[in-house]
Every structure is written in structure tokens, then in C-alpha cells.
Amino acid sequence: METHANVYSNEDITVTYEPRLCIHAERCAKELSDVFRTSVIPWVKLDGAESERIINQIKKCPSKALKYCRNTKKQAS
């Protein structure tokens, strides 16, 4: 069975989604629907809100199916 990566990035953060962990509480979509959209693909649109708002919403995920990490900034040499 083919699986597709559920990885979404912007300049600041990378968000991952693990569907096997998700309990479909839909808290993400109800509270930040400009980013977490259940009716379109891709369902995560990181330019729908500021990265800090997205991080705060991910921290509320009851199943921990959504995770994030901060991207490291490349320094000019």
C-alpha cells in the first residue's frame, strides 16, 4: 500500500501529521480553520495563519497526531 508523507513546511516551521494517531476530535479545524481544512487537499495550509498561532493550535491536539519543529535559519557567510 502506498503512503503519502503528511509534511507541510513554511519558512519558520515544519508540521507533520500522523493519521494513525488521529482521533478526529477536529479541534484543529474548528479552532484554526484557515490552516486546518477538512474539505480540501492539501488539508494543511500553513500560510493561513502566523506560525506562532499554528504552534499553539498543534499543542492542543489531544491525540498528538499533529507535531511541529522549528526550521533552522541559514546564516549568510
Side-chain angles (χ1 to χ4, degrees), residues 6-69:
N6 288 295
V7 179
Y8 310 90
S9 293
N10 66 15
E11 186 177 305
D12 302 319
I13 60 173
T14 296
V15 174
T16 59
Y17 169 64
E18 296 180 52
R20 291 184 179 180
L21 296 178
C22 187
I23 60 172
H24 303 285
E26 296 184 8
R27 187 168 184 179
C28 56
K30 290 175 184 171
E31 295 179 11
L32 195 56
S33 62
D34 289 340
V35 174
F36 303 102
R37 308 161 309 155
T38 59
S39 61
V40 296
I41 296 175
W43 78 279
V44 177
K45 180 182 167 196
L46 294 182
D47 61 353
E50 295 175 1
S51 294
E52 289 303 316
R53 285 188 64 208
I54 297 169
I55 290 169
N56 289 334
Q57 190 61 49
I58 289 170
K59 289 178 179 180
K60 297 176 186 178
C61 179
S63 64
K64 305 300 181 208
L66 289 167
K67 295 181 175 74
Y68 77 94
C69 66

